[in-house]
Amino acid sequence: MEIFLSVWLVPGLILLGKILAFVVPLILSVAYLTYAERRVIAAMQMRRGPNTVGPFGLLQPFADAFKLLFKEPILPTQANSVIFLLAPMITFTLAFVAWAVIPIDAGLALADINVGILYLFAISSLGVYGIIMAGWASNSQYAFLGALRSAAQMVSYEISMGFVIVTVLLTVGSLNLTAIVEAQKTIWFAIPHLPLFVIFFVSILAETNRAPFDLPEGESELVGGYFVEYGSIPFALFFLGEYANMILMSAMTVLLFLGGWLPPLEILPFTLVPGFIWFFAKIALILFCFLWVRASFPRYRYDQLMRLGWRIFLPFTLIWLTLTAIVLFAFDLLPDPNLPPGL
Amino acid sequence: MELFANPAPILTALAFWVLSGVLVGSALAVVLARAPVHSVLFLILCFFNAAGLFLLLGAEFLAMILVVVYVGAVAVLFLFVVMMLDMELVALREGFLRHLPLGALLALVLLAELILTAIGWHAAQDLRFVSATVATAVPFAEVGAEVSNIKMLGAVLYDDYFLLFQASGLVLLVAMIGAIVLTHRTRPGVRRQEIAEQVLRPAEARIHANNPPIGGGVDWDV
């Protein structure tokens, strides 16, 4: 019995605690991201935004959550019920499992694996399934159109994202996320790879189906796109998943281009602030840009969206990858291949 | 109780049985499912569990690539196409018995190949893994412990089998160009946006100020 306690129960509980330490703050951030979105966009459009529930409207996310929880879940009669209910669960789960490898400070990750960035890329490429399954299972024209749009859009932008990641990997010489951040000690990759940083930011807008690439939802033409048939808790799962994905993609941008938990300069006032605060501040900055873009730009037309992905981003990232390889090789800057695995 | 003192082998075994069980089950379901969309979804589940098995083997790079390429891209397009098809379910069922001999033959060939590979793998246990960049010559089975997956693959692909690797890339390129040539057709009368033309047009050609007489209208020739 003692063995059971010390070998199975205690480590299991510690692991569970660690997971909860990641997930609970994440859910809270998602809740307040929705609040921040409404307040920020309201400020940009000279409105007030939610300000009645609690002080400064701070309890608004909880009011919304409880409202959704107490609504009746409706299952369309013509829907394929298993897939219909599976789809929001997939979206929600995928947005959270990716956090297992994200280091929020030096050595502070649930799992610091060798192929960290590939894992992130793999999980984010699965995100399309929640949407496409929802669209198909709803058995509705609007939802199906939304799902088709989103499938094509997400697959297209993943390719340029892949090339951006490969270029960063070439500069670092490792797929480990900690190594990627440590390699930015001298200079953040946003500076030498500035065009890639911009392309990556635009691509994550498309990947998370955010404005100006929110065609899968397209409320003015497709009613609500792929989640038009959803209500109550399944809808809440989609909603939470989408916002958690935004935070995840921002974290990915910060890790790849903005030096993760590293302070902007290695001098005194900056080094006093703990690394994870820097990490969260940078994520907040990227998230603010998400909201800023939504308040500023009209929606893209679908063929223009495809053109941007395939005919501008894809060739450009390919050329930049080749250029990076040439420069690294010519100036003998290629990372040392004899480092131990994982560094 | 001693049996449970070390959780790692038990969890590994459990993971193996769960992953391979679901893998075999969903592979069967791919063939037996009535709706084509369900088949594709089960196929995706298959890929996913295969990636899990790769992870158990310590081949984390292959596992991730399997998910990125097959689940994230190939299966999405597959699902995309199958969802768009309006297939008659009864007609699909009919061919089952007719194609059974051919299917069984293919399955037998694959099984024979797998058995041969397994025997060969067993014989190769004491082969030495020698590569130009990965200088350590260690038994094939233990090489993963010393060098990371990606470096090993890179050394084999880009140093030892460079030409073959390039040749396989060329084969893919030819296939891609072939597919484009075969399916691409220029349809007349399709309105397309010419971005370069739009951008290069001078301002005078874009905006035209008019002062039409009342009831006269304008001649529109832009």
Side-chain angles (χ1 to χ4, degrees):
Chain A
M1 212 55 220
E2 283 151 35
I3 293 175
F4 177 75
L5 213 68
S6 65
V7 179
W8 289 86
L9 196 65
V10 175
L13 283 179
I14 291 175
L15 190 65
L16 190 71
K18 281 185 186 167
I19 293 172
L20 283 181
F22 265 79
V23 169
V24 173
L26 190 60
I27 290 184
L28 276 179
S29 328
V30 167
Y32 278 97
L33 179 58
T34 61
Y35 170 77
E37 171 164 43
R38 293 169 68 182
R39 287 296 285 218
V40 167
I41 293 181
M44 286 176 180
Q45 296 169 343
M46 296 169 100
R47 296 182 285 113
R48 284 185 192 282
N51 64 350
T52 17
V53 189
F56 305 107
L58 274 171
L59 294 177
Q60 184 71 43
F62 296 100
D64 289 341
F66 285 122
K67 183 199 77 174
L68 278 173
L69 285 180
F70 287 116
K71 281 199 165 184
E72 181 195 358
I74 295 171
L75 210 64
T77 45
Q78 294 297 307
N80 186 321
S81 51
V82 177
I83 299 181
F84 186 80
L85 292 176
L86 207 59
M89 292 183 210
I90 287 179
T91 307
F92 183 76
T93 316
L94 285 177
F96 283 80
V97 289
W99 282 85
V101 297
I102 294 207
I104 54 170
D105 202 337
L108 219 80
L110 270 183
D112 196 15
I113 59 175
N114 274 348
V115 287
I117 190 69
L118 258 184
Y119 173 83
L120 275 186
F121 190 57
I123 296 294
S124 74
S125 70
L126 293 180
V128 66
Y129 282 111
I131 292 175
I132 199 170
M133 281 162 77
W136 183 76
S138 301
N139 212 344
S140 139
Q141 310 294 333
Y142 289 124
F144 190 52
L145 263 177
L148 289 185
R149 281 181 175 190
S150 126
Q153 173 181 331
M154 287 170 91
V155 170
S156 311
Y157 278 82
E158 240 152 51
I159 297 172
S160 53
M161 272 173 77
F163 277 121
V164 171
I165 290 174
V166 168
T167 316
V168 172
L169 294 184
L170 194 65
T171 346
V172 179
S174 171
L175 287 109
N176 180 289
L177 285 168
T178 308
I180 291 175
V181 173
E182 293 292 342
Q184 302 182 50
K185 270 230 157 90
T186 40
I187 191 164
W188 294 358
F189 288 149
I191 297 165
H193 287 314
L194 182 67
L196 286 193
F197 175 54
V198 175
I199 286 184
F200 195 76
F201 179 69
V202 177
S203 299
I204 62 173
L205 288 180
E207 190 72 9
T208 47
N209 297 320
R210 289 287 301 181
F213 306 116
D214 55 346
L215 292 122
E217 289 162 38
E219 54 277 274
S220 52
E221 56 215 275
L222 293 180
V223 197
Y226 60 90
F227 53 60
V228 69
E229 301 292 341
Y230 285 87
S232 180
I233 296 172
F235 175 78
L237 287 184
F238 264 127
F239 202 71
L240 287 175
E242 189 186 321
Y243 280 81
N245 249 331
M246 277 166 65
I247 302 181
L248 173 71
M249 289 292 171
S250 309
M252 211 161 145
T253 318
V254 169
L255 288 173
L256 286 175
F257 290 104
L258 296 180
W261 62 81
L262 299 172
L265 288 169
E266 291 282 346
I267 50 171
L268 198 61
F270 294 122
T271 44
L272 283 179
V273 180
F276 65 93
I277 303 261
W278 281 119
F279 187 60
F280 294 146
K282 291 170 189 173
I283 291 182
L285 180 75
I286 302 278
L287 284 173
F288 177 77
C289 293
F290 264 90
L291 309 181
W292 192 7
V293 165
R294 182 172 167 195
S296 316
F297 290 106
R299 186 175 297 138
Y300 253 59
R301 212 174 62 202
Y302 197 69
D303 60 317
Q304 290 173 334
L305 170 91
M306 283 296 160
R307 181 179 170 274
L308 185 70
W310 286 100
R311 291 173 62 179
I312 299 176
F313 282 2
L314 179 63
F316 186 87
T317 45
L318 247 175
I319 291 170
W320 194 269
L321 172 65
T322 323
L323 272 181
T324 311
I326 291 172
V327 168
L328 287 177
F329 186 74
F331 293 96
D332 205 22
L333 289 167
L334 277 173
D336 185 10
N338 293 319
L339 286 175
L343 267 178
Chain B
M1 222 47 227
E2 248 78 281
L3 198 65
F4 296 102
N6 190 4
I10 300 173
L11 288 177
T12 314
L14 197 69
F16 171 77
W17 286 110
V18 170
L19 286 171
S20 44
V22 177
L23 178 63
V24 173
S26 52
L28 270 178
V30 172
V31 187
L32 297 177
R34 287 187 168 271
V37 172
H38 291 174
S39 284
V40 180
L41 290 175
F42 277 119
L43 186 67
I44 294 160
L45 192 61
C46 252
F47 286 147
F48 214 78
N49 285 286
L53 285 179
F54 271 133
L55 274 184
L56 282 187
L57 282 174
E60 69 255 17
F61 183 72
L62 279 185
M64 292 305 150
I65 288 297
L66 184 71
V67 174
V68 170
V69 175
Y70 282 90
V71 184
V74 175
V76 172
L77 296 181
F78 214 51
L79 195 61
F80 198 91
V81 172
V82 169
M83 278 179 178
M84 303 264 269
L85 293 177
D86 191 22
M87 276 183 285
E88 195 66 53
L89 289 185
V90 187
L92 271 178
R93 289 279 105 190
E94 267 176 1
F96 193 76
L97 272 182
R98 200 153 47 85
H99 297 302
L100 194 61
L102 187 66
L105 186 71
L106 278 177
L108 268 181
V109 169
L110 281 177
L111 182 67
E113 280 179 352
L114 266 181
I115 290 171
L116 280 178
T117 317
I119 294 169
W121 174 258
H122 206 68
Q125 288 298 308
D126 24 289
L127 274 184
R128 301 270 139 173
F129 178 80
V130 187
S131 165
T133 35
V134 184
T136 47
V138 287
F140 202 65
E142 293 158 24
V143 81
E146 283 203 2
V147 199
S148 90
N149 260 264
I150 307 152
K151 277 185 193 123
M152 222 159 79
L153 278 173
V156 173
L157 281 181
Y158 295 107
D159 287 337
D160 302 345
Y161 296 103
F162 179 71
L163 282 178
L164 285 178
F165 181 70
Q166 295 287 325
S168 63
L170 275 181
V171 171
L172 283 178
L173 181 69
V174 169
M176 189 179 86
I177 293 175
I180 293 173
V181 168
L182 285 177
T183 52
H184 187 78
R185 58 204 158 105
T186 40
R187 279 169 297 182
V190 177
R191 290 157 72 90
R192 239 190 216 108
Q193 194 176 13
E194 299 293 338
I195 304 277
E197 200 177 304
Q198 284 180 349
V199 174
L200 290 175
R201 243 165 115 185
E204 302 84 60
R206 288 185 227 169
I207 301 168
H208 188 68
N210 245 322
N211 194 5
I214 293 163
V218 280
D219 286 328
W220 189 255
D221 55 11
V222 183

